[in-house]
């Protein structure tokens, strides 16, 4: 089976965008791929985190993985920091990275813009991301548009290592779903739905209560027209809501357009809210059961043990090729 690697940062509440764009695909991939799904807590600390909040969000994200349908008997679910090889290989790959490559990273430019001082972790973390992928010799990496550049660096580093020290790393390919890869903000469809947006009305959190979901969707930006039509160029906000409806209800865009022909946005948004609530309520119930039982800690321990067995061997092989004296 081909290997798949992906991870989500525990730096805020997971959103409906995370669910549609990433987690639904994780659930599909686990059935016929060898999957490694991490909570990337080492990436989260590239910017300051409150320790209590980081601990809580780490457990919440891991639990949401399972609640969303990732089966820990089929896929490895673990904390990045629980597998020490990630940090070690991250350093080894940092020494293979060039300043110019890291300076060109769009995310670094965006996050450092206008700041007097910038943490070095924010600068070098693409090398750690490369290590996350290469440590399992992953074949496929589910990525959104904002991560393509980091995957290109990973591919470059794999090729650079292979040319210097002999073929070892698999050069990974992006896995980009045809639909659902990008859910946009509820208040501005030119921006991706993000858990870091300071406006909570811009996103639907997976743990938002039903009444909060209904209120956010009722207030979602539309346009001055009435036609429920998929037209990303001229009706980007309505098109985004249609896409969310399609993924949550399992209906085609055409079916939804036909259903609301001549009805305007009121009925459409009201029904969309109920469709989203119907998806989130069972997920939230499963989430509460897992948190209350404490089983997530066993899941994370077992996932880390399986992942470490692979990761430790990779680090040993890499160090041997690079000339380290092994114990």
């Amino acid at each position: 089976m081909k290997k798949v690697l992906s991870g989500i940062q525990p730096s805020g509440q997971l959103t409906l965008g995370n669910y549609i764009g990433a987690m639904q695909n994780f659930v599909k991939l686990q059935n016929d791929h060898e999957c490694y799904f991490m909570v990337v807590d080492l990436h989260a600390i590239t910017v300051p985190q409150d320790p209590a909040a980081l601990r809580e969000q780490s457990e919440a994200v891991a639990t949401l993985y399972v609640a969303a349908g990732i089966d820990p008997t089929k896929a490895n679910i673990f904390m990045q920091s629980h597998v020490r090889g990630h940090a070690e290989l991250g350093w080894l790959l940092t020494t293979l990275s060039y300043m110019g490559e890291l300076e060109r990273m769009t995310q670094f430019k965006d996050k450092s813009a206008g700041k007097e001082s910038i943490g070095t972790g924010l600068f070098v973390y693409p090398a750690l991301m490369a290590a996350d992928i290469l440590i399992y010799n992953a074949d496929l990496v589910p990525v959104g548009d904002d991560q393509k550049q980091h995957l290109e660096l990973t591919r470059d580093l794999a090729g650079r290592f292979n040319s210097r020290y002999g073929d070892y790393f698999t050069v990974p390919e992006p896995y980009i779903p045809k639909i659902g890869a990008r859910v946009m903000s509820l208040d501005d469809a030119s921006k991706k739905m993000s858990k870091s947006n300071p406006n909570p009305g811009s996103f639907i959190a997976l743990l938002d209560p039903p009444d909060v979901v209904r209120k956010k969707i009722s207030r979602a930006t539309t346009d001055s027209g009435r036609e429920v039509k998929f037209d990303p160029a001229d009706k980007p906000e309505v098109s985004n809501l249609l896409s969310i409806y399609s993924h949550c209800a399992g209906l085609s865009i055409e079916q939804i357009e036909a259903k609301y022909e001549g009805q305007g946005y009121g009925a459409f948004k009201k029904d969309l809210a109920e469709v989203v609530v119907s998806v989130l309520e069972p997920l939230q119930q499963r989430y509460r059961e897992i948190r209350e039982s404490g089983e997530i800690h066993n899941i994370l321990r077992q996932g880390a043990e399986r992942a470490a067995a692979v990761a430790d061997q990779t680090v040993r092989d890499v160090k041997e090729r690079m000339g380290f004296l092994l114990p």
Side-chain angles (χ1 to χ4, degrees), residues 102-111 149-150:
L102 298 175
E103 286 171 343
R104 286 193 296 272
M105 292 291 137
T106 304
Q107 282 207 353
F108 172 72
K109 290 179 183 177
D110 291 346
K111 291 182 179 179
Q149 199 181 23
H150 289 154

Side-chain angles (χ1 to χ4, degrees), residues 105-125:
M105 292 291 137
T106 304
Q107 282 207 353
F108 172 72
K109 290 179 183 177
D110 291 346
K111 291 182 179 179
S112 61
K115 294 181 180 176
E116 289 185 16
S117 59
I118 304 149
T120 52
L122 195 62
F123 184 67
V124 301
Y125 99 92

Side-chain angles (χ1 to χ4, degrees), residues 17-220:
N18 295 122
Y19 178 72
I20 291 173
M23 296 161 80
Q24 279 190 330
N25 290 310
F26 293 175
V27 174
K28 293 173 187 172
L29 287 165
Q30 70 182 346
N31 293 317
D32 45 18
H33 294 78
E34 182 181 334
C35 292
Y36 297 85
F37 297 132
M38 305 179 297
V39 179
V40 286
D41 50 350
L42 294 175
H43 290 308
I45 62 167
T46 55
V47 295
Q49 300 287 340
D50 173 75
L54 179 63
R55 198 171 293 116
E56 163 61 25
Q57 277 302 119
S58 295
E59 187 171 340
V61 172
T63 305
L64 283 167
Y65 275 174
V66 183
I70 300 174
D71 184 344
T73 66
K74 293 181 179 179
N76 298 297
I77 301 170
F78 59 99
M79 301 300 303
Q80 181 189 26
S81 64
H82 291 182
V83 180
R84 61 188 179 187
H86 286 263
E88 189 168 4
L89 185 60
W91 169 248
L92 298 176
L93 293 180
T94 299
T95 68
L96 293 179
S97 306
Y98 301 136
M99 292 280 289
E101 290 174 318
L102 298 175
E103 286 171 343
R104 286 193 296 272
M105 292 291 137
T106 304
Q107 282 207 353
F108 172 72
K109 290 179 183 177
D110 291 346
K111 291 182 179 179
S112 61
K115 294 181 180 176
E116 289 185 16
S117 59
I118 304 149
T120 52
L122 195 62
F123 184 67
V124 301
Y125 99 92
L128 176 58
M129 183 181 287
D132 297 336
I133 297 164
L134 297 179
I135 203 163
Y136 302 108
N137 270 305
D139 301 283
L140 298 171
V141 183
V143 290
D145 291 338
D146 56 341
Q147 296 292 348
K148 284 181 184 176
Q149 199 181 23
H150 289 154
L151 184 59
E152 282 305 313
L153 176 66
T154 301
R155 289 167 56 84
D156 290 343
L157 290 175
R160 191 171 300 154
F161 181 92
N162 290 346
S163 66
R164 288 189 191 180
Y165 303 109
D167 282 350
Y168 180 74
F169 285 126
T170 299
V171 179
E173 297 288 341
Y175 170 81
I176 303 173
K178 292 179 182 176
I179 54 173
R182 201 165 173 83
V183 176
M184 310 312 284
S185 171
L186 295 180
D187 63 344
D188 182 356
S190 68
K191 298 177 181 177
K192 185 178 177 182
M193 184 179 284
S194 171
K195 60 184 184 291
S196 60
N197 192 315
N199 174 18
S202 71
F203 61 84
I204 294 169
L206 292 182
L207 297 177
D208 275 345
D211 285 349
V212 172
V213 172
R214 294 182 181 106
K215 184 178 291 185
K216 286 182 178 181
I217 291 178
S218 72
R219 294 177 177 176

Side-chain angles (χ1 to χ4, degrees), residues 83-86 135-136 306-316:
V83 180
R84 61 188 179 187
H86 286 263
I135 203 163
Y136 302 108
R306 292 194 298 267
V310 178
D312 289 348
Q313 186 60 53
T314 299
V315 172
R316 187 175 180 85

